[in-house]
Amino acid sequence: MSGSDNGKKTITLANGVEIPTFGFGCAFGDWSSEGRTNKAIFSPEDAWTQVPRALRAGVRHLDTAFCYRTHRAIGATLGAAFRKGELKRDEVFVTTKVFHPAMPRLYGKTIDLKAPDVLETVQVQVRRDIYASLDELQLGWVDLLLVHWPGDFGSTDRAFNRRLRLLVWRVMEEALDRGMARAIGVSNFTEQHLADLAEDGAVVTPHVNQIEVNPYTQWTAIQEYCQANGVLVQAWSPMGSTGSSMLRDELLVALAEKYGKNPGQIVLRWLVQQDMGVLPRSSNEARIASNMDVFDFEISEADMAAITALTKGRSLTNPSPYDIA
């Protein structure tokens, strides 16, 4: 397949696995238009056009999840590329996630964490979802397997959630040990969630913590904990959510002019320069490629600090990981 080599640049995880710095988020949907409240959250049909487009642009890391419903389109697209000799399995990195709490308009592929017997059944459910993910993807293993959320949204029972997270993590460790995943990690975990997991007896420290990070949304304590403990931070929504005005921020526009780049590239370089993985998404093939074109310049220390100072200290549109005990 064509595309630049920027999508092949990697970061080494704590267990030695090489993960591409850039991934392509495979959660598709229209979250900004009016009239969406009665429809499904995700639009997996978009994967049939957007995933091939990303691969043509040079992306070599696809980030999906069981609840996104894009596994089959990704598997079919990769299978076609394998059959034509355009890609080999070890040339593409696939991440998926399991253990998403139930919520309206997800229509299954989630776990009801309010069920009275969830502590007795959760391991069976997570194991089942991992098997189903591999089957839908038509892959023998995934490169990275993540726990999607640390618990039910708004849950305040820390003791219960700690027990639940450890049970789920044991299944993740099993998947790693059995070769169903080359690396395992978490998503949307706070520093306290991670510390609790370690204290409660995790054998494997999560290799990755995927959280929302962009100039307006920075979780400093989480980022510092991960850096100190060898956990790679992957930034989802790195350029703000759909409809965000962040890329029109005066500072980012000025820096784009200064460095001869666009505001999105400034943001992505700011993240990459902090040794984070990034998961931008675009429906435009040229823009997907340009998003990865950030390895030919460096932002000055003063400008890095100025971008960091833009933080609002919270997410403007997404749930806060601190809302889950």
Side-chain angles (χ1 to χ4, degrees), residues 7-302:
K8 300 177 183 178
K9 295 185 183 296
T10 62
I11 300 170
T12 304
L13 299 178
N15 68 341
V17 168
E18 297 284 331
I19 181 172
T21 302
F22 276 84
F24 183 75
C26 295
F28 304 109
D30 178 2
W31 301 295
S32 60
S33 298
E34 294 183 4
R36 292 292 300 175
T37 55
N38 295 325
K39 298 181 181 178
I41 291 175
F42 297 116
S43 302
E45 58 271 23
D46 293 347
W48 292 100
T49 54
Q50 296 205 36
V51 172
R53 197 172 290 151
L55 293 173
R56 288 195 303 269
V59 168
R60 292 298 178 266
H61 176 190
L62 301 175
D63 178 88
T64 184
F66 188 53
C67 71
Y68 296 167
R69 299 180 178 273
T70 51
H71 282 166
R72 290 186 177 87
I74 291 169
T77 300
L78 291 177
F82 296 157
R83 184 179 66 250
K84 295 174 184 176
E86 297 171 340
L87 279 177
K88 297 178 181 178
R89 175 62 185 93
D90 62 3
E91 293 175 336
V92 61
F93 194 101
V94 178
T95 295
T96 197
K97 313 173 198 73
V98 293
F99 193 67
H100 194 296
M103 61 182 294
R105 298 186 295 122
L106 275 187
Y107 310 140
K109 292 188 180 289
T110 59
I111 296 178
D112 181 4
L113 301 184
K114 294 183 175 68
D117 63 345
V118 67
L119 291 174
E120 288 73 42
T121 62
V122 69
Q123 289 188 314
V124 171
Q125 293 182 79
V126 171
R127 195 176 288 116
R128 175 205 64 196
D129 292 349
I130 294 171
Y131 295 162
S133 295
L134 293 174
D135 184 59
E136 291 175 359
L137 286 163
Q138 287 293 283
L139 296 175
W141 71 91
V142 290
D143 298 278
L144 177 62
L145 180 65
L146 302 179
V147 179
H148 207 150
W149 283 93
D152 208 4
F153 298 117
S155 173
T156 59
D157 190 338
R158 182 181 171 197
F160 173 83
N161 286 339
R162 286 181 73 158
R163 292 175 64 194
L164 194 61
R165 286 191 287 268
L166 184 61
L167 288 168
V168 173
W169 191 245
R170 291 293 186 230
V171 179
M172 303 294 281
E173 292 176 331
E174 173 189 292
L176 178 68
D177 186 61
R178 295 178 61 188
M180 291 184 282
R182 296 173 63 223
I184 55 176
V186 297
S187 183
N188 305 301
F189 272 47
T190 68
E191 72 283 3
Q192 189 63 63
H193 297 146
L194 291 164
D196 286 347
L197 195 61
E199 184 179 323
D200 292 341
V203 176
V204 178
T205 299
H207 301 121
V208 169
N209 186 15
Q210 194 179 105
I211 57 175
E212 182 181 12
V213 187
N214 56 63
Y216 282 4
T217 303
Q218 299 172 51
W219 308 109
T220 304
I222 302 175
Q223 293 162 224
E224 290 177 349
Y225 181 95
C226 290
Q227 184 176 26
N229 289 275
V231 181
L232 174 69
V233 172
Q234 269 190 321
W236 61 263
S237 198
M239 295 188 288
S241 298
T242 305
S244 169
S245 62
M246 188 187 73
L247 295 182
R248 298 191 294 275
D249 187 282
E250 291 182 3
L251 174 66
L252 298 177
V253 171
L255 291 177
E257 183 175 352
K258 174 180 177 179
Y259 289 98
K261 293 289 183 176
N262 63 52
Q265 290 170 320
I266 295 297
V267 168
L268 293 167
R269 178 64 203 184
W270 170 76
L271 292 163
V272 168
Q273 209 163 301
Q274 297 178 73
D275 300 317
M276 294 188 204
V278 288
L279 300 167
R281 190 180 69 245
S282 173
S283 60
N284 181 280
E285 188 172 332
R287 179 53 59 88
I288 294 169
S290 73
N291 282 342
M292 298 185 289
D293 185 20
V294 300
F295 296 101
D296 59 350
F297 75 108
E298 186 169 314
I299 300 174
S300 72
E301 185 175 338

